């Protein structure tokens, strides 16, 4: 099992967990929350504004592998993952953070129920989350969760001499 196996398992699980949620994208259409590994897909610039729901990423969740560490042979690997959320809410009351927080709560609830991810990675507490408080990003609102996992131990195949 590798870190990308962990990432793929989280992406798939979050797609299932977030499937019931419907939010408004920047074209004004109600859509489901998209989940992407590492980066949102590249969109080429367009001369005209698009109204194709499939072409707009928001609302979305990114599952990004941030870093990892193996401190010793015969010890668990460590993998850090950030789950980032972005939503769109043009309302001048600036309450879009609530949608981002709701998505975070769904994700946190999933990780509270799971002992292991991809049958090999165990979540290590504490779990930290953060809302972006930059008022200049309106009508986009973002939040993130930092997750730490211990992965499968790699054992030496040959005895030390």
């Amino acid at each position: 099992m590798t870190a990308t196996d962990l990432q793929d398992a989280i992406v798939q699980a979050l797609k299932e967990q977030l499937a019931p949620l419907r939010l408004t994208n920047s074209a004004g259409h109600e859509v489901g929350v998209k989940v992407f590994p590492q980066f949102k897909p590249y969109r080429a610039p367009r001369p005209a504004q698009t109204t194709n729901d499939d072409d707009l990423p928001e609302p979305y969740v990114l599952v990004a592998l941030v870093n990892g560490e193996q401190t010793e042979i015969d010890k668990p690997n460590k993998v850090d993952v950030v789950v980032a959320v972005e939503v769109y809410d043009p309302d001048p009351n600036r309450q879009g953070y609530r949608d981002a927080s709701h998505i975070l709560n769904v994700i946190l609830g999933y990780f509270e129920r799971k002992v292991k991810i991809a049958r090999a990675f165990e979540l290590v507490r504490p779990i930290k989350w953060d809302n972006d408080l930059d008022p200049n990003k309106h009508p986009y609102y973002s939040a993130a969760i930092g997750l730490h996992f211990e992965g499968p131990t790699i054992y030496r195949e040959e005895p030390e001499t």
Side-chain angles (χ1 to χ4, degrees), residues 9 11 13 16 25 30 32 38 45 50 58 61 80-82 87 110 112-114 117 122 124 132 139 145 147 161:
V11 166
E16 294 167 9
N25 67 10
E30 193 172 282
Q38 208 68 18
T50 181
E58 76 280 333
V61 172
D80 290 336
V81 175
V82 169
V87 299
Y110 170 75
E112 287 296 324
R113 295 186 305 274
K114 292 298 285 184
I117 309 296
E122 190 166 336
V124 178
D132 187 350
I145 303 172
L147 302 169
T161 56

Side-chain angles (χ1 to χ4, degrees), residues 69-90:
E69 180 179 37
Q70 183 179 3
T71 56
E72 297 178 52
I73 295 292
D74 300 341
K75 298 287 182 192
N77 286 307
K78 296 178 183 179
V79 179
D80 290 336
V81 175
V82 169
V83 178
V85 174
E86 184 157 307
V87 299
Y88 176 84
D89 183 358

Side-chain angles (χ1 to χ4, degrees), residues 29-102:
H29 301 124
E30 193 172 282
V31 297
V33 179
K34 296 176 183 169
V35 183
F36 303 115
Q38 208 68 18
F39 303 103
K40 64 183 176 181
Y42 173 75
R43 284 181 31 200
R46 289 189 168 70
Q49 187 172 0
T50 181
T51 57
N52 181 356
D53 288 345
D54 292 333
D55 202 29
L56 298 169
E58 76 280 333
Y60 67 85
V61 172
L62 296 179
V63 178
L65 298 174
V66 178
N67 59 48
E69 180 179 37
Q70 183 179 3
T71 56
E72 297 178 52
I73 295 292
D74 300 341
K75 298 287 182 192
N77 286 307
K78 296 178 183 179
V79 179
D80 290 336
V81 175
V82 169
V83 178
V85 174
E86 184 157 307
V87 299
Y88 176 84
D89 183 358
D91 189 312
N93 288 329
R94 296 180 183 235
Q95 297 297 300
Y97 76 94
R98 292 178 178 274
D99 287 336
S101 293
H102 178 67

